[in-house]
Amino acid sequence: MGIPAAANKDLENDLSELITKIQNAKNILLTTHKQCDGDGLGSQIALYFALKKMNKNVRLFCVDDVPRKYHFLNFSDYLEVYSKPHKALEKFDLTLIFDTNDSRLVEPFYSEIKKNCDDIVFVDHHPILEQGPKPTDGSFIDSSSASTGEITYYLIKGLGVELDNKIARPLYTSIAFDTQVFKFIRNCGRSHIVAADLLKYENRPEEIHRKLFAAQTKGKMQLLAQAFATTEFIGTNEEIALLTISVDDLVKNKLEPDDSRDILDMIMSIESIQVGALLLQMNDKAYKLSLRSRGEHSILKVAEAFDGGGHNFAAGAYIEANYDTIYEKTVALIKAAIS
């Protein structure tokens, strides 16, 4: 399929085929998965500015609204949202989709892209799903990278584009977000090496850390208190934690779904917990399941059982079913995963 495994190689060399594609393309579309996060968003913004330096015709899209925590990146003048009115798509030579290799996470935009572009490439660091759609030919998937931002950094370097603050700031955001400020680096020094180079151009990293992880509201604190108070601890040694957040919980506290993203990580700091699950109600018919493991038990197959994906120790899925069905299946699958 043309998807290199780059675990022990120089990323810039492994990216040579994709670099050539970009160099030969004139019209390029960049996007990421729906409900974007700092990694996918930061990667595509950084490459957008790099391609502008190469005088490419490039358009930058998100499938849906960008969470407000990322508004400090000041993208409103050039980023378009597919779910809102936008200029019709023209024909593109190349489309790059960041931080996922699962086309379902880009729908309904993905179907529109296919009508206007024959060459679609996923740039990602998540493992390829055993069950579910496979990435397109020519996609670059490197699960040894701690973030998609690391891959994008080497892609920009390979294109010969000189870094500046417009490129470095979103790239540093990408890496800081997905590593949780270098807490999870996949036992590799690459994250630190890349960040050190980016900090030659970005002189306010503390501001980025604060925007990503420390810009809380009163409503968020109230939701946290509720989440901790209602978390279920399951198992003989209370090794499983499961919490539920409803749409009403978010509305009452004036929060977005993205504001719940870090709550599960906080729950996982409880010493006895091996696996945590968050069921976030998206609407009357759907929930978002987020899963975390301390690292002893893989929970990727739990997510795949719901047509989801992710990493071995951090995964998730969007599920259309009633709550009781999702709850019972989630608990049963987690128990099987840790047994």
PDB file of all heavy atoms in Angstrom, residues 225-239:
ATOM      1  N   ALA A 225     -16.093  18.443  39.437  1.00  0.00           N
ATOM      2  CA  ALA A 225     -16.586  18.004  40.744  1.00  0.00           C
ATOM      3  C   ALA A 225     -17.683  16.953  40.582  1.00  0.00           C
ATOM      4  O   ALA A 225     -17.697  15.930  41.272  1.00  0.00           O
ATOM      5  CB  ALA A 225     -17.105  19.198  41.531  1.00  0.00           C
ATOM      6  N   GLN A 226     -18.581  17.202  39.642  1.00  0.00           N
ATOM      7  CA  GLN A 226     -19.662  16.258  39.386  1.00  0.00           C
ATOM      8  C   GLN A 226     -19.108  14.943  38.846  1.00  0.00           C
ATOM      9  O   GLN A 226     -19.542  13.851  39.251  1.00  0.00           O
ATOM     10  CB  GLN A 226     -20.647  16.852  38.396  1.00  0.00           C
ATOM     11  CG  GLN A 226     -21.764  15.891  37.989  1.00  0.00           C
ATOM     12  CD  GLN A 226     -22.601  16.448  36.853  1.00  0.00           C
ATOM     13  OE1 GLN A 226     -22.886  17.632  36.809  1.00  0.00           O
ATOM     14  NE2 GLN A 226     -22.986  15.595  35.925  1.00  0.00           N
ATOM     15  N   ALA A 227     -18.152  15.041  37.928  1.00  0.00           N
ATOM     16  CA  ALA A 227     -17.583  13.836  37.316  1.00  0.00           C
ATOM     17  C   ALA A 227     -16.905  12.955  38.359  1.00  0.00           C
ATOM     18  O   ALA A 227     -17.095  11.734  38.384  1.00  0.00           O
ATOM     19  CB  ALA A 227     -16.601  14.223  36.218  1.00  0.00           C
ATOM     20  N   PHE A 228     -16.123  13.574  39.240  1.00  0.00           N
ATOM     21  CA  PHE A 228     -15.444  12.803  40.277  1.00  0.00           C
ATOM     22  C   PHE A 228     -16.460  12.180  41.236  1.00  0.00           C
ATOM     23  O   PHE A 228     -16.290  11.052  41.696  1.00  0.00           O
ATOM     24  CB  PHE A 228     -14.469  13.693  41.049  1.00  0.00           C
ATOM     25  CG  PHE A 228     -13.149  13.870  40.361  1.00  0.00           C
ATOM     26  CD1 PHE A 228     -12.807  15.068  39.756  1.00  0.00           C
ATOM     27  CD2 PHE A 228     -12.232  12.834  40.308  1.00  0.00           C
ATOM     28  CE1 PHE A 228     -11.590  15.230  39.110  1.00  0.00           C
ATOM     29  CE2 PHE A 228     -11.005  12.980  39.667  1.00  0.00           C
ATOM     30  CZ  PHE A 228     -10.679  14.184  39.067  1.00  0.00           C
ATOM     31  N   ALA A 229     -17.520  12.931  41.537  1.00  0.00           N
ATOM     32  CA  ALA A 229     -18.520  12.439  42.507  1.00  0.00           C
ATOM     33  C   ALA A 229     -19.338  11.280  41.946  1.00  0.00           C
ATOM     34  O   ALA A 229     -19.819  10.432  42.709  1.00  0.00           O
ATOM     35  CB  ALA A 229     -19.442  13.576  42.913  1.00  0.00           C
ATOM     36  N   THR A 230     -19.516  11.216  40.636  1.00  0.00           N
ATOM     37  CA  THR A 230     -20.395  10.202  40.051  1.00  0.00           C
ATOM     38  C   THR A 230     -19.641   9.091  39.328  1.00  0.00           C
ATOM     39  O   THR A 230     -20.264   8.199  38.757  1.00  0.00           O
ATOM     40  CB  THR A 230     -21.375  10.864  39.061  1.00  0.00           C
ATOM     41  OG1 THR A 230     -20.630  11.545  38.027  1.00  0.00           O
ATOM     42  CG2 THR A 230     -22.279  11.848  39.766  1.00  0.00           C
ATOM     43  N   THR A 231     -18.320   9.127  39.340  1.00  0.00           N
ATOM     44  CA  THR A 231     -17.541   8.067  38.690  1.00  0.00           C
ATOM     45  C   THR A 231     -17.797   6.719  39.362  1.00  0.00           C
ATOM     46  O   THR A 231     -17.804   6.614  40.586  1.00  0.00           O
ATOM     47  CB  THR A 231     -16.036   8.394  38.752  1.00  0.00           C
ATOM     48  OG1 THR A 231     -15.783   9.595  38.018  1.00  0.00           O
ATOM     49  CG2 THR A 231     -15.210   7.263  38.146  1.00  0.00           C
ATOM     50  N   GLU A 232     -18.013   5.700  38.537  1.00  0.00           N
ATOM     51  CA  GLU A 232     -18.175   4.340  39.054  1.00  0.00           C
ATOM     52  C   GLU A 232     -16.822   3.638  39.066  1.00  0.00           C
ATOM     53  O   GLU A 232     -16.059   3.723  38.089  1.00  0.00           O
ATOM     54  CB  GLU A 232     -19.125   3.551  38.163  1.00  0.00           C
ATOM     55  CG  GLU A 232     -20.549   4.041  38.157  1.00  0.00           C
ATOM     56  CD  GLU A 232     -21.409   3.170  37.249  1.00  0.00           C
ATOM     57  OE1 GLU A 232     -21.556   1.968  37.569  1.00  0.00           O
ATOM     58  OE2 GLU A 232     -21.891   3.686  36.237  1.00  0.00           O
ATOM     59  N   PHE A 233     -16.526   2.949  40.130  1.00  0.00           N
ATOM     60  CA  PHE A 233     -15.306   2.159  40.229  1.00  0.00           C
ATOM     61  C   PHE A 233     -15.701   0.690  40.226  1.00  0.00           C
ATOM     62  O   PHE A 233     -16.436   0.227  41.097  1.00  0.00           O
ATOM     63  CB  PHE A 233     -14.522   2.534  41.490  1.00  0.00           C
ATOM     64  CG  PHE A 233     -14.050   3.960  41.465  1.00  0.00           C
ATOM     65  CD1 PHE A 233     -14.801   4.961  42.090  1.00  0.00           C
ATOM     66  CD2 PHE A 233     -12.913   4.324  40.785  1.00  0.00           C
ATOM     67  CE1 PHE A 233     -14.389   6.278  42.048  1.00  0.00           C
ATOM     68  CE2 PHE A 233     -12.495   5.645  40.730  1.00  0.00           C
ATOM     69  CZ  PHE A 233     -13.230   6.626  41.363  1.00  0.00           C
ATOM     70  N   ILE A 234     -15.230  -0.024  39.231  1.00  0.00           N
ATOM     71  CA  ILE A 234     -15.695  -1.378  38.941  1.00  0.00           C
ATOM     72  C   ILE A 234     -14.535  -2.359  39.092  1.00  0.00           C
ATOM     73  O   ILE A 234     -13.391  -2.046  38.739  1.00  0.00           O
ATOM     74  CB  ILE A 234     -16.266  -1.449  37.515  1.00  0.00           C
ATOM     75  CG1 ILE A 234     -17.415  -0.440  37.348  1.00  0.00           C
ATOM     76  CG2 ILE A 234     -16.729  -2.852  37.159  1.00  0.00           C
ATOM     77  CD1 ILE A 234     -17.819  -0.187  35.912  1.00  0.00           C
ATOM     78  N   GLY A 235     -14.841  -3.556  39.584  1.00  0.00           N
ATOM     79  CA  GLY A 235     -13.834  -4.599  39.709  1.00  0.00           C
ATOM     80  C   GLY A 235     -13.473  -4.861  41.155  1.00  0.00           C
ATOM     81  O   GLY A 235     -13.695  -4.024  42.035  1.00  0.00           O
ATOM     82  N   THR A 236     -12.881  -6.021  41.404  1.00  0.00           N
ATOM     83  CA  THR A 236     -12.511  -6.427  42.757  1.00  0.00           C
ATOM     84  C   THR A 236     -11.599  -5.407  43.419  1.00  0.00           C
ATOM     85  O   THR A 236     -11.745  -5.070  44.603  1.00  0.00           O
ATOM     86  CB  THR A 236     -11.803  -7.795  42.723  1.00  0.00           C
ATOM     87  OG1 THR A 236     -12.633  -8.733  42.043  1.00  0.00           O
ATOM     88  CG2 THR A 236     -11.528  -8.293  44.138  1.00  0.00           C
ATOM     89  N   ASN A 237     -10.666  -4.882  42.658  1.00  0.00           N
ATOM     90  CA  ASN A 237      -9.717  -3.890  43.180  1.00  0.00           C
ATOM     91  C   ASN A 237      -9.997  -2.492  42.650  1.00  0.00           C
ATOM     92  O   ASN A 237      -9.111  -1.645  42.649  1.00  0.00           O
ATOM     93  CB  ASN A 237      -8.282  -4.312  42.837  1.00  0.00           C
ATOM     94  CG  ASN A 237      -7.920  -5.650  43.437  1.00  0.00           C
ATOM     95  OD1 ASN A 237      -8.098  -5.863  44.629  1.00  0.00           O
ATOM     96  ND2 ASN A 237      -7.422  -6.564  42.599  1.00  0.00           N
ATOM     97  N   GLU A 238     -11.233  -2.281  42.184  1.00  0.00           N
ATOM     98  CA  GLU A 238     -11.627  -0.980  41.615  1.00  0.00           C
ATOM     99  C   GLU A 238     -10.644  -0.524  40.538  1.00  0.00           C
ATOM    100  O   GLU A 238     -10.212   0.626  40.488  1.00  0.00           O
ATOM    101  CB  GLU A 238     -11.749   0.080  42.718  1.00  0.00           C
ATOM    102  CG  GLU A 238     -12.834  -0.240  43.734  1.00  0.00           C
ATOM    103  CD  GLU A 238     -13.091   0.901  44.708  1.00  0.00           C
ATOM    104  OE1 GLU A 238     -12.151   1.678  44.969  1.00  0.00           O
ATOM    105  OE2 GLU A 238     -14.227   1.030  45.186  1.00  0.00           O
ATOM    106  N   GLU A 239     -10.317  -1.475  39.650  1.00  0.00           N
ATOM    107  CA  GLU A 239      -9.318  -1.189  38.626  1.00  0.00           C
ATOM    108  C   GLU A 239      -9.901  -0.552  37.369  1.00  0.00           C
ATOM    109  O   GLU A 239      -9.168  -0.128  36.480  1.00  0.00           O
ATOM    110  CB  GLU A 239      -8.566  -2.470  38.254  1.00  0.00           C
ATOM    111  CG  GLU A 239      -9.420  -3.580  37.646  1.00  0.00           C
ATOM    112  CD  GLU A 239     -10.017  -4.520  38.689  1.00  0.00           C
ATOM    113  OE1 GLU A 239     -10.173  -4.119  39.857  1.00  0.00           O
ATOM    114  OE2 GLU A 239     -10.327  -5.665  38.328  1.00  0.00           O
TER     115      GLU A 239
END
